[in-house]
mmCIF file of all heavy atoms in Angstrom:
data_model
loop_
_atom_site.group_PDB
_atom_site.id
_atom_site.type_symbol
_atom_site.label_atom_id
_atom_site.label_comp_id
_atom_site.label_asym_id
_atom_site.label_seq_id
_atom_site.Cartn_x
_atom_site.Cartn_y
_atom_site.Cartn_z
ATOM 1 N N MET M 1 0.799 -1.125 -0.022
ATOM 2 C CA MET M 1 -0.015 0.026 0.026
ATOM 3 C C MET M 1 0.926 1.238 -0.048
ATOM 4 O O MET M 1 1.941 1.248 0.477
ATOM 5 C CB MET M 1 -0.925 -0.076 1.239
ATOM 6 C CG MET M 1 -1.913 -1.157 1.322
ATOM 7 S SD MET M 1 -3.161 -1.025 0.025
ATOM 8 C CE MET M 1 -3.960 0.588 0.149
ATOM 9 N N GLY M 2 0.293 2.330 -0.559
ATOM 10 C CA GLY M 2 1.125 3.619 -0.496
ATOM 11 C C GLY M 2 0.176 4.827 -0.336
ATOM 12 O O GLY M 2 -1.090 4.750 -0.419
ATOM 13 N N TRP M 3 0.842 5.840 0.026
ATOM 14 C CA TRP M 3 0.273 7.179 0.127
ATOM 15 C C TRP M 3 0.953 8.066 -0.754
ATOM 16 O O TRP M 3 2.279 8.113 -0.876
ATOM 17 C CB TRP M 3 0.452 7.777 1.567
ATOM 18 C CG TRP M 3 -0.619 7.163 2.486
ATOM 19 C CD1 TRP M 3 -0.409 6.137 3.475
ATOM 20 C CD2 TRP M 3 -1.985 7.531 2.709
ATOM 21 N NE1 TRP M 3 -1.479 5.838 4.167
ATOM 22 C CE2 TRP M 3 -2.518 6.680 3.756
ATOM 23 C CE3 TRP M 3 -2.779 8.412 2.173
ATOM 24 C CZ2 TRP M 3 -3.836 6.808 4.152
ATOM 25 C CZ3 TRP M 3 -4.085 8.478 2.517
ATOM 26 C CH2 TRP M 3 -4.616 7.748 3.556
ATOM 27 N N PHE M 4 0.214 8.870 -1.561
ATOM 28 C CA PHE M 4 0.723 9.919 -2.484
ATOM 29 C C PHE M 4 0.075 11.356 -2.105
ATOM 30 O O PHE M 4 -0.906 11.275 -1.308
ATOM 31 C CB PHE M 4 0.420 9.605 -3.888
ATOM 32 C CG PHE M 4 1.040 8.386 -4.412
ATOM 33 C CD1 PHE M 4 0.754 7.046 -4.015
ATOM 34 C CD2 PHE M 4 2.223 8.480 -5.323
ATOM 35 C CE1 PHE M 4 1.427 5.876 -4.503
ATOM 36 C CE2 PHE M 4 2.816 7.346 -5.780
ATOM 37 C CZ PHE M 4 2.494 6.110 -5.411
ATOM 38 N N ARG M 5 0.638 12.331 -2.609
ATOM 39 C CA ARG M 5 0.030 13.695 -2.445
ATOM 40 C C ARG M 5 0.172 14.567 -3.741
ATOM 41 O O ARG M 5 1.122 14.293 -4.430
ATOM 42 C CB ARG M 5 0.586 14.374 -1.257
ATOM 43 C CG ARG M 5 2.024 14.827 -1.362
ATOM 44 C CD ARG M 5 2.546 15.368 -0.011
ATOM 45 N NE ARG M 5 3.910 15.764 -0.079
ATOM 46 C CZ ARG M 5 4.642 16.188 0.947
ATOM 47 N NH1 ARG M 5 4.031 16.373 2.093
ATOM 48 N NH2 ARG M 5 5.794 16.543 0.795
ATOM 49 N N GLN M 6 -0.781 15.426 -3.896
ATOM 50 C CA GLN M 6 -0.753 16.248 -5.037
ATOM 51 C C GLN M 6 -1.163 17.686 -4.633
ATOM 52 O O GLN M 6 -2.400 17.816 -4.234
ATOM 53 C CB GLN M 6 -1.602 15.785 -6.235
ATOM 54 C CG GLN M 6 -1.520 16.485 -7.443
ATOM 55 C CD GLN M 6 -2.092 15.717 -8.688
ATOM 56 O OE1 GLN M 6 -3.019 14.883 -8.421
ATOM 57 N NE2 GLN M 6 -1.682 16.190 -9.814
ATOM 58 N N ALA M 7 -0.286 18.606 -4.796
ATOM 59 C CA ALA M 7 -0.578 20.025 -4.502
ATOM 60 C C ALA M 7 -1.134 20.716 -5.817
ATOM 61 O O ALA M 7 -0.844 20.199 -6.941
ATOM 62 C CB ALA M 7 0.645 20.756 -3.946
ATOM 63 N N PRO M 8 -1.902 21.753 -5.690
ATOM 64 C CA PRO M 8 -2.373 22.409 -6.937
ATOM 65 C C PRO M 8 -1.283 22.769 -7.864
ATOM 66 O O PRO M 8 -0.282 23.415 -7.482
ATOM 67 C CB PRO M 8 -3.164 23.632 -6.417
ATOM 68 C CG PRO M 8 -3.520 23.242 -4.952
ATOM 69 C CD PRO M 8 -2.380 22.428 -4.495
ATOM 70 N N GLY M 9 -1.474 22.466 -9.126
ATOM 71 C CA GLY M 9 -0.454 22.747 -10.145
ATOM 72 C C GLY M 9 0.746 21.909 -10.138
ATOM 73 O O GLY M 9 1.739 22.137 -10.996
ATOM 74 N N LYS M 10 0.862 20.911 -9.387
ATOM 75 C CA LYS M 10 1.990 19.964 -9.280
ATOM 76 C C LYS M 10 1.472 18.609 -9.523
ATOM 77 O O LYS M 10 0.277 18.181 -9.379
ATOM 78 C CB LYS M 10 2.621 20.053 -7.880
ATOM 79 C CG LYS M 10 3.125 21.477 -7.589
ATOM 80 C CD LYS M 10 3.874 21.403 -6.131
ATOM 81 C CE LYS M 10 4.516 22.704 -5.847
ATOM 82 N NZ LYS M 10 5.179 22.649 -4.497
ATOM 83 N N GLN M 11 2.462 17.696 -9.946
ATOM 84 C CA GLN M 11 2.143 16.303 -10.281
ATOM 85 C C GLN M 11 2.034 15.532 -8.980
ATOM 86 O O GLN M 11 2.508 16.021 -7.872
ATOM 87 C CB GLN M 11 3.195 15.759 -11.193
ATOM 88 C CG GLN M 11 4.651 15.605 -10.603
ATOM 89 C CD GLN M 11 5.488 15.005 -11.727
ATOM 90 O OE1 GLN M 11 5.910 15.759 -12.600
ATOM 91 N NE2 GLN M 11 5.875 13.773 -11.495
ATOM 92 N N ARG M 12 1.398 14.405 -9.060
ATOM 93 C CA ARG M 12 1.290 13.504 -7.830
ATOM 94 C C ARG M 12 2.639 12.976 -7.421
ATOM 95 O O ARG M 12 3.447 12.526 -8.208
ATOM 96 C CB ARG M 12 0.315 12.411 -8.164
ATOM 97 C CG ARG M 12 -0.120 11.594 -6.966
ATOM 98 C CD ARG M 12 -1.360 10.734 -7.324
ATOM 99 N NE ARG M 12 -2.484 11.569 -7.751
ATOM 100 C CZ ARG M 12 -3.770 11.085 -7.969
ATOM 101 N NH1 ARG M 12 -3.911 9.761 -7.706
ATOM 102 N NH2 ARG M 12 -4.679 11.916 -8.267
ATOM 103 N N GLU M 13 2.966 13.026 -6.096
ATOM 104 C CA GLU M 13 4.112 12.682 -5.554
ATOM 105 C C GLU M 13 3.999 11.448 -4.678
ATOM 106 O O GLU M 13 3.123 11.578 -3.745
ATOM 107 C CB GLU M 13 4.714 13.859 -4.795
ATOM 108 C CG GLU M 13 6.048 13.601 -3.995
ATOM 109 C CD GLU M 13 6.324 14.783 -3.108
ATOM 110 O OE1 GLU M 13 5.379 15.434 -2.561
ATOM 111 O OE2 GLU M 13 7.541 15.049 -2.861
ATOM 112 N N PHE M 14 4.935 10.508 -4.681
ATOM 113 C CA PHE M 14 4.832 9.473 -3.693
ATOM 114 C C PHE M 14 5.362 9.925 -2.399
ATOM 115 O O PHE M 14 6.311 10.771 -2.297
ATOM 116 C CB PHE M 14 5.861 8.353 -4.209
ATOM 117 C CG PHE M 14 6.118 7.239 -3.183
ATOM 118 C CD1 PHE M 14 5.163 6.246 -3.065
ATOM 119 C CD2 PHE M 14 7.225 7.335 -2.389
ATOM 120 C CE1 PHE M 14 5.347 5.282 -2.148
ATOM 121 C CE2 PHE M 14 7.474 6.215 -1.509
ATOM 122 C CZ PHE M 14 6.501 5.244 -1.331
ATOM 123 N N VAL M 15 4.722 9.574 -1.306
ATOM 124 C CA VAL M 15 5.017 9.973 0.089
ATOM 125 C C VAL M 15 5.589 8.827 0.895
ATOM 126 O O VAL M 15 6.633 8.873 1.495
ATOM 127 C CB VAL M 15 3.813 10.683 0.706
ATOM 128 C CG1 VAL M 15 4.175 11.033 2.192
ATOM 129 C CG2 VAL M 15 3.376 11.793 -0.024
ATOM 130 N N ALA M 16 4.771 7.726 0.989
ATOM 131 C CA ALA M 16 5.235 6.601 1.737
ATOM 132 C C ALA M 16 4.551 5.263 1.278
ATOM 133 O O ALA M 16 3.510 5.320 0.595
ATOM 134 C CB ALA M 16 4.661 6.823 3.217
ATOM 135 N N GLY M 17 5.270 4.130 1.472
ATOM 136 C CA GLY M 17 4.801 2.887 1.054
ATOM 137 C C GLY M 17 5.092 1.860 2.135
ATOM 138 O O GLY M 17 5.957 2.066 2.949
ATOM 139 N N ILE M 18 4.244 0.792 2.107
ATOM 140 C CA ILE M 18 4.507 -0.271 3.109
ATOM 141 C C ILE M 18 4.187 -1.616 2.374
ATOM 142 O O ILE M 18 3.363 -1.705 1.528
ATOM 143 C CB ILE M 18 3.551 -0.122 4.302
ATOM 144 C CG1 ILE M 18 3.778 -1.194 5.420
ATOM 145 C CG2 ILE M 18 2.050 -0.117 3.930
ATOM 146 C CD1 ILE M 18 3.131 -0.806 6.737
ATOM 147 N N SER M 19 5.040 -2.569 2.672
ATOM 148 C CA SER M 19 4.966 -3.902 2.018
ATOM 149 C C SER M 19 3.706 -4.647 2.379
ATOM 150 O O SER M 19 3.089 -4.253 3.370
ATOM 151 C CB SER M 19 6.119 -4.703 2.374
ATOM 152 O OG SER M 19 6.266 -5.055 3.697
ATOM 153 N N TRP M 20 3.469 -5.625 1.621
ATOM 154 C CA TRP M 20 2.249 -6.408 1.897
ATOM 155 C C TRP M 20 2.243 -7.019 3.250
ATOM 156 O O TRP M 20 1.172 -7.196 4.030
ATOM 157 C CB TRP M 20 1.998 -7.510 0.855
ATOM 158 C CG TRP M 20 3.030 -8.513 0.867
ATOM 159 C CD1 TRP M 20 4.123 -8.552 0.090
ATOM 160 C CD2 TRP M 20 3.002 -9.781 1.582
ATOM 161 N NE1 TRP M 20 4.938 -9.660 0.325
ATOM 162 C CE2 TRP M 20 4.240 -10.472 1.223
ATOM 163 C CE3 TRP M 20 2.145 -10.377 2.543
ATOM 164 C CZ2 TRP M 20 4.588 -11.641 1.793
ATOM 165 C CZ3 TRP M 20 2.516 -11.608 3.098
ATOM 166 C CH2 TRP M 20 3.727 -12.249 2.727
ATOM 167 N N ALA M 21 3.407 -7.432 3.772
ATOM 168 C CA ALA M 21 3.547 -8.034 5.118
ATOM 169 C C ALA M 21 3.588 -6.979 6.234
ATOM 170 O O ALA M 21 3.643 -7.317 7.371
ATOM 171 C CB ALA M 21 4.848 -8.899 5.110
ATOM 172 N N GLY M 22 3.753 -5.734 5.877
ATOM 173 C CA GLY M 22 3.950 -4.718 6.809
ATOM 174 C C GLY M 22 5.305 -4.596 7.537
ATOM 175 O O GLY M 22 5.409 -3.893 8.558
ATOM 176 N N ASP M 23 6.253 -5.330 7.008
ATOM 177 C CA ASP M 23 7.536 -5.428 7.756
ATOM 178 C C ASP M 23 8.538 -4.446 7.195
ATOM 179 O O ASP M 23 9.612 -4.218 7.832
ATOM 180 C CB ASP M 23 7.945 -6.850 7.737
ATOM 181 C CG ASP M 23 8.274 -7.389 6.290
ATOM 182 O OD1 ASP M 23 7.656 -6.771 5.332
ATOM 183 O OD2 ASP M 23 8.872 -8.400 6.126
ATOM 184 N N THR M 24 8.236 -3.886 6.043
ATOM 185 C CA THR M 24 9.155 -2.824 5.441
ATOM 186 C C THR M 24 8.368 -1.594 4.979
ATOM 187 O O THR M 24 7.298 -1.808 4.538
ATOM 188 C CB THR M 24 10.028 -3.420 4.357
ATOM 189 O OG1 THR M 24 9.144 -3.867 3.345
ATOM 190 C CG2 THR M 24 10.974 -4.496 4.751
ATOM 191 N N THR M 25 9.022 -0.515 5.082
ATOM 192 C CA THR M 25 8.376 0.797 4.655
ATOM 193 C C THR M 25 9.395 1.619 3.912
ATOM 194 O O THR M 25 10.616 1.399 4.082
ATOM 195 C CB THR M 25 7.806 1.559 5.773
ATOM 196 O OG1 THR M 25 8.818 1.952 6.640
ATOM 197 C CG2 THR M 25 6.792 0.762 6.579
ATOM 198 N N TYR M 26 8.949 2.515 3.080
ATOM 199 C CA TYR M 26 9.722 3.624 2.479
ATOM 200 C C TYR M 26 9.042 4.920 2.707
ATOM 201 O O TYR M 26 7.926 5.071 2.299
ATOM 202 C CB TYR M 26 10.032 3.304 1.060
ATOM 203 C CG TYR M 26 10.892 4.288 0.431
ATOM 204 C CD1 TYR M 26 12.344 4.238 0.664
ATOM 205 C CD2 TYR M 26 10.450 5.345 -0.297
ATOM 206 C CE1 TYR M 26 13.223 5.271 0.233
ATOM 207 C CE2 TYR M 26 11.407 6.303 -0.898
ATOM 208 C CZ TYR M 26 12.712 6.261 -0.515
ATOM 209 O OH TYR M 26 13.619 7.162 -1.060
ATOM 210 N N ILE M 27 9.871 5.882 3.157
ATOM 211 C CA ILE M 27 9.303 7.289 3.322
ATOM 212 C C ILE M 27 10.208 8.199 2.666
ATOM 213 O O ILE M 27 11.471 8.082 2.653
ATOM 214 C CB ILE M 27 9.343 7.594 4.878
ATOM 215 C CG1 ILE M 27 8.743 6.472 5.688
ATOM 216 C CG2 ILE M 27 8.621 8.908 5.034
ATOM 217 C CD1 ILE M 27 7.179 6.392 5.481
ATOM 218 N N ILE M 28 9.710 9.123 1.881
ATOM 219 C CA ILE M 28 10.567 10.084 1.127
ATOM 220 C C ILE M 28 11.293 11.060 2.162
ATOM 221 O O ILE M 28 10.755 11.223 3.338
ATOM 222 C CB ILE M 28 9.690 10.913 0.180
ATOM 223 C CG1 ILE M 28 8.603 11.672 0.808
ATOM 224 C CG2 ILE M 28 9.222 10.024 -0.883
ATOM 225 C CD1 ILE M 28 7.929 12.750 -0.105
ATOM 226 N N ASN M 29 12.427 11.563 1.746
ATOM 227 C CA ASN M 29 13.226 12.250 2.656
ATOM 228 C C ASN M 29 12.607 13.518 3.166
ATOM 229 O O ASN M 29 12.877 13.850 4.380
ATOM 230 C CB ASN M 29 14.548 12.618 1.911
ATOM 231 C CG ASN M 29 15.509 11.448 1.804
ATOM 232 O OD1 ASN M 29 15.411 10.460 2.455
ATOM 233 N ND2 ASN M 29 16.349 11.523 0.665
ATOM 234 N N SER M 30 11.711 14.204 2.372
ATOM 235 C CA SER M 30 11.204 15.384 2.873
ATOM 236 C C SER M 30 10.185 15.299 4.077
ATOM 237 O O SER M 30 9.921 16.236 4.751
ATOM 238 C CB SER M 30 10.552 16.186 1.682
ATOM 239 O OG SER M 30 9.377 15.397 1.165
ATOM 240 N N VAL M 31 9.714 14.013 4.312
ATOM 241 C CA VAL M 31 8.779 13.879 5.379
ATOM 242 C C VAL M 31 9.323 12.835 6.492
ATOM 243 O O VAL M 31 8.582 12.539 7.376
ATOM 244 C CB VAL M 31 7.346 13.424 4.921
ATOM 245 C CG1 VAL M 31 6.823 14.399 3.915
ATOM 246 C CG2 VAL M 31 7.478 11.980 4.312
ATOM 247 N N LYS M 32 10.493 12.272 6.087
ATOM 248 C CA LYS M 32 11.096 11.226 7.066
ATOM 249 C C LYS M 32 11.237 11.929 8.355
ATOM 250 O O LYS M 32 11.790 12.954 8.590
ATOM 251 C CB LYS M 32 12.377 10.761 6.473
ATOM 252 C CG LYS M 32 12.978 9.602 7.182
ATOM 253 C CD LYS M 32 14.189 9.006 6.449
ATOM 254 C CE LYS M 32 13.718 8.478 5.056
ATOM 255 N NZ LYS M 32 14.986 7.911 4.269
ATOM 256 N N GLY M 33 10.940 11.143 9.368
ATOM 257 C CA GLY M 33 11.049 11.657 10.831
ATOM 258 C C GLY M 33 9.716 12.406 11.284
ATOM 259 O O GLY M 33 9.695 12.583 12.446
ATOM 260 N N ARG M 34 8.926 12.751 10.350
ATOM 261 C CA ARG M 34 7.634 13.333 10.686
ATOM 262 C C ARG M 34 6.509 12.442 10.278
ATOM 263 O O ARG M 34 5.470 12.492 11.100
ATOM 264 C CB ARG M 34 7.474 14.671 9.925
ATOM 265 C CG ARG M 34 8.591 15.662 10.251
ATOM 266 C CD ARG M 34 8.391 17.039 9.578
ATOM 267 N NE ARG M 34 8.411 16.952 8.153
ATOM 268 C CZ ARG M 34 7.319 17.360 7.328
ATOM 269 N NH1 ARG M 34 6.108 17.682 7.987
ATOM 270 N NH2 ARG M 34 7.388 17.346 6.018
#
């Protein structure tokens, strides 16, 4: 599963993803830690 975001006038951006097992994730640097 994943989360994306899109601001007005900008293209859709990947934000975070999680594996099917829930054991691994990926977070983009701009939001990592938050």
Side-chain angles (χ1 to χ4, degrees):
M1 297 294 300
W3 285 98
F4 294 75
R5 65 186 181 185
Q6 188 166 20
K10 297 183 179 180
Q11 68 182 75
R12 193 165 298 188
E13 173 191 34
F14 173 81
V15 177
I18 186 166
S19 66
W20 64 268
D23 56 347
T24 57
T25 63
Y26 183 77
I27 311 291
I28 60 170
N29 288 335
S30 61
V31 305
K32 192 174 296 181
R34 299 189 296 118

